[in-house]
Amino acid sequence: KAGVTQTPRYLIKTRGQQVTLSCSPISGHRSVSWYQQTPGQGLQFLFEYFSETQRNKGNFPGRFSGRQFSNSRSEMNVSTLELGDSALYLCASSYSGSSYNEQFFGPGTRLTVL
Amino acid sequence: DAKTTQPNSMESNEEEPVHLPCNHSTISGTDYIHWYRQLPSQGPEYVIHGLTSNVNNRMASLAIAEDRKSSTLILHRATLRDAAVYYCILRDVDNFNKFYFGSGTKLNVKP
């Protein structure tokens, strides 16, 4: 079974631009979550989608948004990039997102904002 | 959301058992205890999880205190490949995938 894939793996943008990151979950998984990882803040939850609906959201500004498609693939968008948005963005999928389901993480997208 | 407390770092010798502690004194009756680890330059990977009873799998064992206010992840024989940051996480039945990772324990394994 193929794992979670994220594209692109690396990205360099400048302040003010916007960016879209993509995540393909494991086949059959319907829940996709996004996380931001920085040296200072560690791993922080962004949001979670299940069956094309956002079920949960972390404490991030509205510049961070996402969506999920009918095939469970998900995209995350960050508008008006700031230097502080430089981070590793991780996507994780699970079968149903229930608290007893394990999550499978992708390798992440490394975003650098200049 | 319930929080967890873990030591910042621990050290172990290769081939020896490692006990990684986690305190979660505010745990509720429906919180599952999950452990993940993150190897350098990789995304986190699932290790083990449990609710009330001790659990074993091919990677590790999870010992849960009777009052559930603490748990211990046990690696039976540490290898160099086990060097990683280990996260203890509580997952609320009503909060789906809203993980709070905390700062984790950085495990260093000495040859």
Side-chain angles (χ1 to χ4, degrees):
Chain A
K1 204 184 236 188
V4 177
T5 57
Q6 292 187 245
T7 56
R9 292 292 312 277
Y10 301 91
L11 206 48
I12 299 175
K13 292 285 188 179
T14 56
R15 278 180 298 174
Q17 287 187 309
Q18 76 164 21
V19 67
T20 299
L21 311 181
S22 182
C23 171
S24 293
I26 290 172
S27 177
H29 284 190
R30 296 167 64 190
S31 167
V32 173
S33 298
W34 288 90
Y35 297 84
Q36 180 196 66
Q37 186 171 31
T38 60
Q41 299 295 321
L43 270 157
Q44 293 185 284
F45 173 80
L46 279 156
F47 30 65
E48 187 246 357
Y49 286 87
F50 179 82
S51 292
E52 302 178 67
T53 301
Q54 187 181 89
R55 277 199 307 200
N56 236 322
K57 191 176 188 306
N59 298 322
F60 278 82
R63 300 185 297 107
F64 291 82
S65 63
R67 58 177 176 169
Q68 186 180 34
F69 302 96
S70 58
N71 61 358
S72 293
R73 191 177 69 85
S74 177
E75 286 182 348
M76 191 193 94
N77 184 276
V78 188
S79 62
T80 319
L81 284 166
E82 300 176 359
L83 294 178
D85 297 333
S86 294
L88 180 67
Y89 290 88
L90 292 157
C91 161
S93 77
S94 70
Y95 177 68
S96 70
S98 297
S99 57
Y100 47 82
N101 283 164
E102 63 188 272
Q103 282 194 314
F104 295 85
F105 284 80
T109 294
R110 173 76 62 185
L111 171 65
T112 301
V113 181
L114 303 175
Chain B
D1 296 282
K3 297 292 190 294
T4 62
T5 304
Q6 300 175 253
N8 288 334
S9 63
M10 290 185 65
E11 202 163 72
S12 169
N13 293 317
E14 200 175 10
E15 306 279 308
E16 290 185 355
V18 182
H19 290 233
L20 297 164
C22 180
N23 287 319
H24 28 80
S25 58
T26 58
I27 192 171
S28 75
T30 54
D31 285 342
Y32 278 79
I33 302 161
H34 284 248
W35 283 81
Y36 282 72
R37 72 180 185 181
Q38 187 171 22
L39 280 65
S41 303
Q42 294 187 27
E45 66 171 345
Y46 168 82
V47 177
I48 201 166
H49 77 279
L51 183 62
T52 55
S53 306
N54 294 344
V55 185
N56 299 297
N57 66 21
R58 63 173 182 81
M59 285 182 71
S61 295
L62 176 60
I64 301 173
E66 201 169 325
D67 63 5
R68 300 210 325 127
K69 293 187 176 181
S70 66
S71 61
T72 302
L73 178 70
I74 302 165
L75 306 179
H76 296 287
R77 289 181 66 199
T79 69
L80 296 179
R81 288 177 296 176
D82 292 323
V85 178
Y86 287 78
Y87 296 98
C88 168
I89 306 152
L90 299 185
R91 293 188 65 193
D92 186 344
V93 132
D94 297 322
N95 248 334
F96 300 108
N97 273 330
K98 198 169 185 177
F99 275 72
Y100 287 94
F101 273 79
S103 53
T105 296
K106 185 172 183 179
L107 175 66
N108 181 36
V109 180
K110 297 185 295 182

